[in-house]
Coordinates of all heavy atoms in Angstrom, one line a residue:
M1 N 52.4 78.2 -54.3 CA 53.3 77.5 -55.2 C 53.6 76.2 -54.6 O 53.8 76.0 -53.4 CB 54.6 78.4 -55.3 CG 55.7 77.7 -56.1 SD 57.2 78.7 -56.2 CE 56.6 79.8 -57.5
S2 N 53.6 75.2 -55.5 CA 53.9 73.8 -55.1 C 55.4 73.7 -54.6 O 56.3 74.4 -55.1 CB 53.7 72.9 -56.3 OG 54.1 71.6 -56.0
L3 N 55.6 72.8 -53.7 CA 57.0 72.6 -53.2 C 57.8 71.8 -54.3 O 59.0 71.8 -54.3 CB 57.0 71.8 -51.9 CG 56.5 72.5 -50.7 CD1 56.5 71.6 -49.5 CD2 57.3 73.8 -50.5
Y4 N 57.0 71.1 -55.2 CA 57.7 70.4 -56.3 C 57.4 71.1 -57.6 O 56.3 71.5 -57.9 CB 57.1 69.0 -56.4 CG 57.6 68.2 -57.5 CD1 58.9 67.6 -57.5 CD2 56.9 68.1 -58.7 CE1 59.4 67.0 -58.6 CE2 57.4 67.4 -59.8 CZ 58.7 66.8 -59.7 OH 59.2 66.2 -60.8
H5 N 58.5 71.3 -58.4 CA 58.3 71.9 -59.7 C 59.2 71.1 -60.6 O 60.4 70.8 -60.3 CB 58.8 73.3 -59.7 CG 58.5 74.0 -60.9 ND1 57.3 74.2 -61.4 CD2 59.3 74.6 -61.8 CE1 57.3 74.9 -62.6 NE2 58.6 75.1 -62.8
S6 N 58.7 70.8 -61.8 CA 59.4 70.0 -62.8 C 60.3 70.9 -63.6 O 59.9 71.6 -64.5 CB 58.4 69.3 -63.7 OG 59.1 68.6 -64.7
Y7 N 61.6 71.0 -63.2 CA 62.5 71.9 -63.9 C 63.1 71.4 -65.2 O 63.7 72.1 -65.9 CB 63.7 72.3 -62.9 CG 63.2 73.3 -61.9 CD1 63.0 72.9 -60.6 CD2 63.1 74.6 -62.3 CE1 62.6 73.8 -59.7 CE2 62.6 75.6 -61.3 CZ 62.4 75.2 -60.0 OH 62.0 76.1 -59.1
H8 N 62.8 70.1 -65.5 CA 63.4 69.6 -66.8 C 62.8 70.2 -68.0 O 63.3 70.1 -69.1 CB 63.2 68.1 -66.8 CG 61.8 67.6 -66.9 ND1 61.0 67.5 -65.8 CD2 61.1 67.2 -68.0 CE1 59.8 67.1 -66.2 NE2 59.8 66.9 -67.5
S9 N 61.6 70.9 -67.9 CA 61.0 71.4 -69.1 C 61.1 72.9 -69.2 O 60.5 73.6 -70.0 CB 59.5 71.1 -69.1 OG 58.9 71.6 -67.9
L10 N 62.0 73.5 -68.4 CA 62.2 75.0 -68.4 C 63.1 75.4 -69.5 O 64.0 74.7 -69.9 CB 62.7 75.4 -67.0 CG 61.8 75.2 -65.8 CD1 62.5 75.7 -64.6 CD2 60.5 76.0 -66.0
I11 N 62.9 76.6 -69.9 CA 63.8 77.2 -71.0 C 64.8 78.1 -70.3 O 64.4 79.0 -69.5 CB 62.9 78.0 -72.0 CG1 61.9 77.1 -72.6 CG2 63.8 78.7 -73.0 CD1 60.8 77.8 -73.4
A12 N 66.1 77.9 -70.6 CA 67.1 78.7 -69.9 C 67.4 80.0 -70.7 O 67.3 80.0 -71.9 CB 68.4 77.8 -69.9
G13 N 67.6 81.0 -70.0 CA 68.0 82.3 -70.6 C 69.5 82.4 -70.6 O 70.2 81.5 -70.5
S14 N 70.0 83.7 -70.7 CA 71.4 83.9 -70.8 C 72.0 83.9 -69.4 O 71.5 84.6 -68.5 CB 71.7 85.3 -71.4 OG 71.2 85.3 -72.7
A15 N 73.1 83.2 -69.2 CA 73.8 83.2 -67.9 C 74.4 84.5 -67.5 O 74.9 85.2 -68.4 CB 74.8 82.1 -67.9
Q16 N 74.4 84.8 -66.2 CA 75.1 85.9 -65.7 C 76.2 85.5 -64.8 O 76.0 84.5 -64.0 CB 74.1 86.9 -65.0 CG 73.0 87.4 -65.8 CD 72.0 88.1 -65.1 OE1 72.3 88.8 -64.1 NE2 70.7 88.0 -65.4
Q17 N 77.3 86.1 -64.8 CA 78.4 85.7 -63.9 C 78.7 86.8 -62.9 O 78.7 88.0 -63.2 CB 79.7 85.5 -64.8 CG 80.9 85.1 -64.1 CD 82.0 84.8 -65.1 OE1 81.8 84.2 -66.2 NE2 83.2 85.2 -64.8
L18 N 79.0 86.4 -61.7 CA 79.2 87.4 -60.6 C 80.5 86.9 -59.8 O 80.5 85.8 -59.3 CB 78.0 87.4 -59.7 CG 78.1 88.3 -58.5 CD1 78.1 89.8 -58.9 CD2 76.9 88.1 -57.6
A19 N 81.5 87.8 -59.7 CA 82.6 87.5 -58.9 C 82.2 87.7 -57.4 O 81.6 88.7 -57.1 CB 83.8 88.4 -59.2
I20 N 82.4 86.7 -56.6 CA 82.0 86.8 -55.2 C 83.2 86.7 -54.2 O 84.2 86.1 -54.6 CB 81.0 85.7 -54.8 CG1 81.6 84.3 -55.1 CG2 79.7 85.9 -55.6 CD1 80.7 83.1 -54.6
A21 N 83.0 87.3 -53.1 CA 84.1 87.3 -52.1 C 83.4 87.2 -50.7 O 82.2 86.9 -50.7 CB 84.8 88.7 -52.1
T22 N 84.1 87.4 -49.7 CA 83.5 87.2 -48.3 C 82.8 88.4 -47.9 O 82.3 88.5 -46.8 CB 84.6 86.9 -47.3 OG1 85.7 87.8 -47.4 CG2 85.2 85.5 -47.6
A23 N 82.6 89.4 -48.8 CA 81.6 90.5 -48.6 C 80.5 90.2 -49.6 O 80.7 89.8 -50.7 CB 82.3 91.8 -48.9
S24 N 79.3 90.5 -49.2 CA 78.1 90.2 -50.0 C 78.1 91.0 -51.3 O 78.4 92.1 -51.3 CB 76.8 90.5 -49.2 OG 75.7 90.1 -49.9
A25 N 77.8 90.3 -52.4 CA 77.7 90.9 -53.7 C 76.3 90.7 -54.3 O 75.7 89.7 -54.0 CB 78.7 90.3 -54.7
T26 N 75.8 91.6 -55.1 CA 74.5 91.5 -55.6 C 74.5 91.5 -57.2 O 75.2 92.2 -57.8 CB 73.6 92.7 -55.2 OG1 73.6 92.7 -53.8 CG2 72.2 92.6 -55.7
V27 N 73.7 90.6 -57.8 CA 73.5 90.6 -59.2 C 72.7 91.8 -59.6 O 71.6 92.0 -59.1 CB 72.8 89.3 -59.7 CG1 72.5 89.4 -61.2 CG2 73.7 88.1 -59.4
S28 N 73.3 92.7 -60.4 CA 72.7 94.0 -60.7 C 71.8 94.0 -61.9 O 70.9 94.8 -62.0 CB 73.7 95.1 -60.8 OG 74.7 94.7 -61.8
S29 N 72.0 93.1 -62.8 CA 71.2 93.2 -64.1 C 69.9 92.6 -63.9 O 69.6 91.8 -63.0 CB 72.0 92.5 -65.2 OG 72.3 91.1 -64.9
T30 N 68.9 93.0 -64.7 CA 67.5 92.6 -64.6 C 67.3 91.2 -65.2 O 67.9 90.9 -66.2 CB 66.7 93.7 -65.3 OG1 67.0 94.9 -64.8 CG2 65.2 93.4 -65.1
L31 N 66.5 90.5 -64.5 CA 66.1 89.2 -65.1 C 65.0 89.3 -66.1 O 64.2 90.3 -66.0 CB 65.6 88.3 -63.9 CG 66.7 87.9 -62.9 CD1 66.0 87.2 -61.7 CD2 67.8 87.2 -63.4
P32 N 64.9 88.5 -67.1 CA 63.8 88.6 -68.1 C 62.4 88.5 -67.5 O 62.2 87.9 -66.4 CB 64.0 87.4 -69.0 CG 65.5 87.0 -68.8 CD 65.8 87.4 -67.4
G33 N 61.5 89.2 -68.1 CA 60.1 89.3 -67.6 C 59.4 88.0 -67.3 O 58.6 87.8 -66.5
A34 N 59.7 86.9 -68.1 CA 59.1 85.6 -68.0 C 59.8 84.7 -67.0 O 59.4 83.5 -66.9 CB 59.1 85.0 -69.4
T35 N 60.7 85.2 -66.2 CA 61.5 84.4 -65.3 C 60.6 83.8 -64.2 O 59.8 84.5 -63.6 CB 62.6 85.2 -64.6 OG1 63.5 85.7 -65.6 CG2 63.4 84.4 -63.6
T36 N 60.7 82.5 -64.1 CA 60.0 81.8 -63.0 C 60.9 81.2 -62.0 O 60.5 80.7 -60.9 CB 59.1 80.7 -63.6 OG1 59.9 79.8 -64.3 CG2 58.0 81.2 -64.5
G37 N 62.2 81.2 -62.3 CA 63.2 80.6 -61.3 C 64.6 80.9 -61.9 O 64.7 81.5 -63.0
V38 N 65.6 80.5 -61.1 CA 67.0 80.6 -61.5 C 67.7 79.3 -61.3 O 67.4 78.6 -60.3 CB 67.7 81.8 -60.8 CG1 67.2 83.1 -61.3 CG2 67.6 81.7 -59.3
R39 N 68.7 79.1 -62.1 CA 69.6 77.9 -61.9 C 70.9 78.6 -61.5 O 71.4 79.5 -62.1 CB 69.8 77.2 -63.2 CG 70.8 76.0 -63.1 CD 70.9 75.3 -64.4 NE 71.4 76.2 -65.4 CZ 71.3 75.9 -66.7 NH1 70.6 74.9 -67.2 NH2 71.8 76.8 -67.6
V40 N 71.4 78.2 -60.3 CA 72.6 78.7 -59.7 C 73.7 77.7 -59.5 O 73.4 76.5 -59.2 CB 72.3 79.5 -58.4 CG1 71.4 80.7 -58.7 CG2 71.7 78.6 -57.4
V41 N 74.9 78.1 -59.7 CA 76.1 77.2 -59.4 C 77.2 78.2 -59.1 O 77.3 79.3 -59.6 CB 76.4 76.3 -60.5 CG1 76.8 77.0 -61.8 CG2 77.4 75.2 -60.1
A42 N 78.2 77.7 -58.2 CA 79.3 78.5 -57.9 C 80.5 77.6 -57.8 O 80.4 76.4 -57.5 CB 79.1 79.3 -56.6
N43 N 81.7 78.1 -58.0 CA 82.9 77.2 -57.9 C 83.5 77.3 -56.5 O 84.6 76.8 -56.3 CB 84.0 77.6 -59.0 CG 84.4 79.0 -58.9 OD1 84.1 79.8 -58.0 ND2 85.3 79.4 -59.8
T44 N 82.8 77.9 -55.6 CA 83.2 77.9 -54.2 C 81.9 77.9 -53.3 O 80.9 78.3 -53.8 CB 84.0 79.2 -53.8 OG1 84.5 79.1 -52.5 CG2 83.2 80.5 -54.0
G45 N 82.0 77.4 -52.2 CA 80.8 77.3 -51.3 C 80.3 78.7 -51.0 O 81.2 79.6 -50.8
C46 N 79.0 79.0 -51.0 CA 78.5 80.3 -50.7 C 77.1 80.3 -50.2 O 76.4 79.3 -50.3 CB 78.6 81.2 -52.0 SG 77.6 80.5 -53.3
W47 N 76.7 81.4 -49.6 CA 75.3 81.6 -49.2 C 74.7 82.5 -50.2 O 75.3 83.4 -50.7 CB 75.2 82.2 -47.8 CG 75.6 81.3 -46.7 CD1 74.8 80.4 -46.1 CD2 76.9 81.2 -46.1 NE1 75.5 79.7 -45.1 CE2 76.8 80.2 -45.1 CE3 78.1 81.8 -46.3 CZ2 77.9 79.8 -44.3 CZ3 79.2 81.4 -45.5 CH2 79.1 80.4 -44.6
Y48 N 73.4 82.4 -50.5 CA 72.7 83.3 -51.4 C 71.3 83.5 -51.0 O 70.7 82.8 -50.2 CB 72.8 82.8 -52.8 CG 71.9 81.6 -53.1 CD1 70.6 81.8 -53.7 CD2 72.3 80.3 -52.8 CE1 69.8 80.7 -54.0 CE2 71.5 79.2 -53.1 CZ 70.2 79.4 -53.7 OH 69.4 78.3 -53.9
R49 N 70.8 84.6 -51.4 CA 69.4 85.0 -51.2 C 68.8 85.6 -52.5 O 69.5 86.2 -53.3 CB 69.3 86.1 -50.1 CG 69.8 85.5 -48.7 CD 69.6 86.5 -47.7 NE 68.1 86.8 -47.5 CZ 67.5 86.6 -46.3 NH1 68.2 86.2 -45.3 NH2 66.2 86.8 -46.2
V50 N 67.5 85.4 -52.7 CA 66.8 85.9 -53.8 C 65.7 87.0 -53.5 O 65.0 87.4 -54.3 CB 66.2 84.8 -54.7 CG1 67.2 83.8 -55.2 CG2 65.1 84.0 -53.9
D51 N 65.7 87.4 -52.2 CA 64.7 88.3 -51.8 C 65.1 89.8 -51.7 O 64.4 90.6 -51.2 CB 64.1 87.9 -50.5 CG 65.1 87.9 -49.4 OD1 66.3 88.2 -49.6 OD2 64.8 87.5 -48.2
G52 N 66.3 90.1 -52.2 CA 66.8 91.5 -52.1 C 67.6 91.8 -50.9 O 68.2 92.8 -50.8
S53 N 67.5 90.9 -49.9 CA 68.3 91.2 -48.7 C 69.8 90.8 -49.0 O 70.1 90.0 -49.8 CB 67.8 90.3 -47.5 OG 66.5 90.5 -47.3
A54 N 70.7 91.4 -48.2 CA 72.1 91.0 -48.3 C 72.3 89.6 -47.9 O 71.7 89.1 -46.9 CB 73.0 91.9 -47.4
A55 N 73.1 88.8 -48.6 CA 73.4 87.4 -48.3 C 74.1 87.4 -47.0 O 75.0 88.2 -46.7 CB 74.2 86.8 -49.4
A56 N 73.8 86.4 -46.2 CA 74.4 86.2 -44.9 C 74.5 84.7 -44.6 O 73.9 83.9 -45.3 CB 73.6 86.9 -43.8
T57 N 75.1 84.3 -43.5 CA 75.2 82.9 -43.2 C 73.9 82.3 -42.8 O 73.8 81.1 -42.6 CB 76.3 82.7 -42.1 OG1 75.9 83.5 -40.9 CG2 77.6 83.1 -42.5
S58 N 72.8 83.1 -42.7 CA 71.5 82.6 -42.5 C 70.7 82.3 -43.8 O 69.6 81.7 -43.7 CB 70.7 83.5 -41.6 OG 70.6 84.8 -42.3
G59 N 71.3 82.6 -44.9 CA 70.7 82.3 -46.2 C 70.8 80.9 -46.6 O 71.3 80.0 -45.9
A60 N 70.4 80.6 -47.8 CA 70.6 79.2 -48.4 C 72.0 79.0 -48.7 O 72.7 79.8 -49.3 CB 69.7 79.1 -49.6
F61 N 72.6 77.8 -48.3 CA 74.0 77.5 -48.6 C 74.1 76.7 -49.8 O 73.3 75.7 -50.0 CB 74.6 76.7 -47.4 CG 76.1 76.4 -47.7 CD1 77.0 77.5 -47.5 CD2 76.5 75.2 -48.0 CE1 78.4 77.2 -47.8 CE2 77.9 75.0 -48.3 CZ 78.8 76.0 -48.1
L62 N 75.0 77.1 -50.7 CA 75.2 76.4 -52.0 C 76.6 75.8 -51.9 O 77.6 76.6 -52.0 CB 75.0 77.3 -53.1 CG 75.2 76.7 -54.5 CD1 74.2 75.7 -54.9 CD2 75.2 77.9 -55.6
P63 N 76.8 74.5 -51.9 CA 78.1 73.9 -51.9 C 78.8 74.2 -53.2 O 78.1 74.4 -54.3 CB 77.9 72.4 -51.7 CG 76.6 72.3 -51.1 CD 75.8 73.5 -51.7
A64 N 80.1 74.1 -53.3 CA 80.9 74.3 -54.5 C 80.4 73.3 -55.6 O 80.3 72.1 -55.3 CB 82.4 74.3 -54.3
N65 N 80.3 73.8 -56.8 CA 80.0 73.0 -58.0 C 78.7 72.2 -57.9 O 78.6 71.1 -58.6 CB 81.2 72.1 -58.3 CG 82.5 72.9 -58.4 OD1 82.5 73.8 -59.2 ND2 83.5 72.5 -57.7
V66 N 77.7 72.6 -57.2 CA 76.4 72.0 -57.1 C 75.4 72.9 -57.8 O 75.4 74.1 -57.5 CB 76.0 71.7 -55.6 CG1 74.6 71.3 -55.6 CG2 76.9 70.8 -55.0
I67 N 74.7 72.3 -58.7 CA 73.6 73.1 -59.4 C 72.3 73.0 -58.6 O 71.9 72.0 -58.2 CB 73.4 72.5 -60.9 CG1 74.7 72.7 -61.7 CG2 72.2 73.2 -61.5 CD1 74.6 72.0 -63.0
E68 N 71.7 74.2 -58.5 CA 70.5 74.3 -57.7 C 69.5 75.1 -58.5 O 69.9 76.1 -59.1 CB 70.7 74.8 -56.3 CG 69.6 74.8 -55.4 CD 70.0 75.1 -54.0 OE1 70.7 74.2 -53.4 OE2 69.6 76.2 -53.5
Y69 N 68.2 74.8 -58.4 CA 67.1 75.6 -59.0 C 66.3 76.2 -57.9 O 66.0 75.6 -56.9 CB 66.2 74.7 -59.9 CG 66.9 74.3 -61.1 CD1 67.7 73.1 -61.2 CD2 66.7 75.0 -62.3 CE1 68.2 72.7 -62.4 CE2 67.2 74.5 -63.5 CZ 68.0 73.4 -63.5 OH 68.6 73.0 -64.7
T70 N 66.1 77.5 -58.0 CA 65.3 78.2 -57.0 C 64.2 79.0 -57.7 O 64.5 79.8 -58.6 CB 66.3 79.2 -56.3 OG1 67.3 78.5 -55.7 CG2 65.5 80.0 -55.2
P71 N 63.0 78.9 -57.2 CA 61.9 79.7 -57.8 C 62.0 81.2 -57.4 O 62.4 81.5 -56.3 CB 60.6 79.1 -57.2 CG 61.1 78.3 -56.0 CD 62.5 78.0 -56.2
C72 N 61.8 82.0 -58.4 CA 61.7 83.5 -58.1 C 61.2 84.2 -59.3 O 61.1 83.5 -60.4 CB 63.1 84.0 -57.8 SG 64.3 84.0 -59.1
G73 N 60.8 85.4 -59.2 CA 60.3 86.1 -60.3 C 61.3 87.1 -61.0 O 62.5 87.1 -60.5
S74 N 60.9 87.8 -62.0 CA 61.8 88.7 -62.7 C 62.3 89.9 -61.8 O 63.3 90.5 -62.1 CB 61.2 89.2 -64.0 OG 60.0 89.9 -63.7
S75 N 61.6 90.2 -60.7 CA 62.0 91.3 -59.9 C 63.0 90.9 -58.8 O 63.4 91.7 -58.0 CB 60.7 91.9 -59.2 OG 60.1 91.0 -58.4
A76 N 63.3 89.6 -58.8 CA 64.2 89.1 -57.7 C 65.6 89.8 -57.8 O 66.1 90.0 -58.9 CB 64.4 87.6 -57.8
Q77 N 66.2 90.1 -56.7 CA 67.5 90.6 -56.5 C 68.3 89.6 -55.8 O 68.0 89.2 -54.7 CB 67.6 91.9 -55.8 CG 67.0 93.1 -56.5 CD 67.8 93.5 -57.7 OE1 69.0 93.6 -57.6 NE2 67.1 93.6 -58.9
I78 N 69.3 89.0 -56.5 CA 70.1 87.9 -55.9 C 71.4 88.4 -55.3 O 72.1 89.2 -55.9 CB 70.4 86.9 -57.0 CG1 69.2 86.1 -57.5 CG2 71.4 85.8 -56.5 CD1 68.4 86.8 -58.6
S79 N 71.6 88.1 -54.0 CA 72.9 88.5 -53.4 C 73.6 87.2 -53.0 O 73.0 86.2 -52.7 CB 72.6 89.4 -52.2 OG 71.8 88.7 -51.2
V80 N 75.0 87.3 -53.0 CA 75.8 86.1 -52.7 C 76.9 86.5 -51.8 O 77.5 87.5 -51.9 CB 76.4 85.6 -54.1 CG1 77.1 84.3 -53.8 CG2 75.3 85.4 -55.1
L81 N 77.3 85.5 -50.9 CA 78.4 85.7 -50.0 C 79.2 84.4 -50.0 O 78.7 83.3 -49.7 CB 77.8 86.0 -48.6 CG 78.8 86.0 -47.4 CD1 79.7 87.3 -47.5 CD2 78.0 86.1 -46.1
A82 N 80.5 84.6 -50.3 CA 81.4 83.4 -50.3 C 81.6 82.9 -48.9 O 81.7 83.7 -48.0 CB 82.7 83.7 -51.0
A83 N 81.7 81.6 -48.7 CA 81.9 81.0 -47.4 C 83.3 81.2 -46.9 O 83.5 81.6 -45.8 CB 81.6 79.5 -47.4
T84 N 84.3 80.8 -47.7 CA 85.7 80.9 -47.2 C 86.6 81.6 -48.2 O 87.4 82.4 -47.9 CB 86.3 79.6 -46.9 OG1 86.2 78.7 -48.0 CG2 85.6 78.9 -45.7
T85 N 86.5 81.2 -49.5 CA 87.4 81.8 -50.5 C 86.6 82.5 -51.6 O 85.5 82.1 -51.9 CB 88.3 80.7 -51.2 OG1 87.5 79.7 -51.7 CG2 89.2 80.1 -50.1
A86 N 87.2 83.5 -52.3 CA 86.5 84.1 -53.4 C 86.3 83.2 -54.5 O 87.0 82.1 -54.7 CB 87.4 85.3 -53.8
G87 N 85.4 83.5 -55.4 CA 85.1 82.6 -56.5 C 84.1 83.2 -57.5 O 84.0 84.5 -57.5
T88 N 83.5 82.4 -58.3 CA 82.5 82.9 -59.3 C 81.2 82.2 -59.1 O 81.1 81.0 -58.8 CB 83.0 82.6 -60.7 OG1 84.3 83.2 -60.8 CG2 82.1 83.2 -61.7
F89 N 80.1 83.0 -59.2 CA 78.7 82.5 -59.1 C 78.1 82.7 -60.4 O 78.2 83.8 -61.0 CB 78.1 83.4 -58.0 CG 76.6 83.0 -57.7 CD1 76.3 82.0 -56.8 CD2 75.6 83.8 -58.3 CE1 75.0 81.7 -56.5 CE2 74.3 83.5 -58.0 CZ 73.9 82.5 -57.1
W90 N 77.4 81.7 -60.9 CA 76.7 81.8 -62.2 C 75.2 81.7 -61.9 O 74.8 80.8 -61.2 CB 77.1 80.7 -63.2 CG 78.5 80.9 -63.7 CD1 78.9 81.6 -64.8 CD2 79.7 80.3 -63.1 NE1 80.3 81.5 -64.9 CE2 80.8 80.8 -63.9 CE3 80.0 79.5 -62.0 CZ2 82.1 80.4 -63.6 CZ3 81.3 79.2 -61.7 CH2 82.3 79.6 -62.5
L91 N 74.4 82.5 -62.6 CA 73.0 82.6 -62.4 C 72.4 82.5 -63.8 O 72.8 83.3 -64.7 CB 72.6 83.9 -61.8 CG 71.2 84.4 -61.9 CD1 70.3 83.6 -61.0 CD2 71.2 85.9 -61.5
T92 N 71.5 81.6 -64.0 CA 70.8 81.5 -65.3 C 69.3 81.5 -65.1 O 68.7 80.7 -64.4 CB 71.1 80.1 -66.0 OG1 72.5 80.0 -66.2 CG2 70.5 80.0 -67.4
P93 N 68.6 82.6 -65.6 CA 67.2 82.6 -65.4 C 66.5 81.6 -66.3 O 67.0 81.2 -67.4 CB 66.8 84.0 -66.0 CG 68.0 84.5 -66.8 CD 69.2 83.7 -66.3
V94 N 65.4 81.0 -65.7 CA 64.7 80.0 -66.5 C 63.2 80.4 -66.4 O 62.7 81.1 -65.6 CB 64.9 78.6 -65.9 CG1 66.3 78.1 -66.0 CG2 64.5 78.5 -64.4
C95 N 62.5 79.9 -67.4 CA 61.0 80.2 -67.5 C 60.3 78.9 -68.1 O 60.9 78.1 -68.8 CB 60.7 81.4 -68.3 SG 61.2 81.3 -70.0
G96 N 59.1 78.8 -67.8 CA 58.3 77.7 -68.3 C 57.3 77.2 -67.4 O 57.1 77.5 -66.3

């Protein structure tokens, strides 16, 4: 997979919302079969993982209110850990 991917041409699916706290939480619903990545954003700083492992401070850090695109397939299990305060994490599957 290329390190560069043009996300401007991707089709967004239905967003999923996850309440996060300082204990790791996992998105439990299944991503659509055509998923090639996810768009993530949270209203609080957090760490997240897309490989099925529990989120920890060694995962990718997402600052509050920053949109990020991460490549992953439909079998990805996303886990999230809030950095300091509880908040909400939004995940939108994308394909294209």
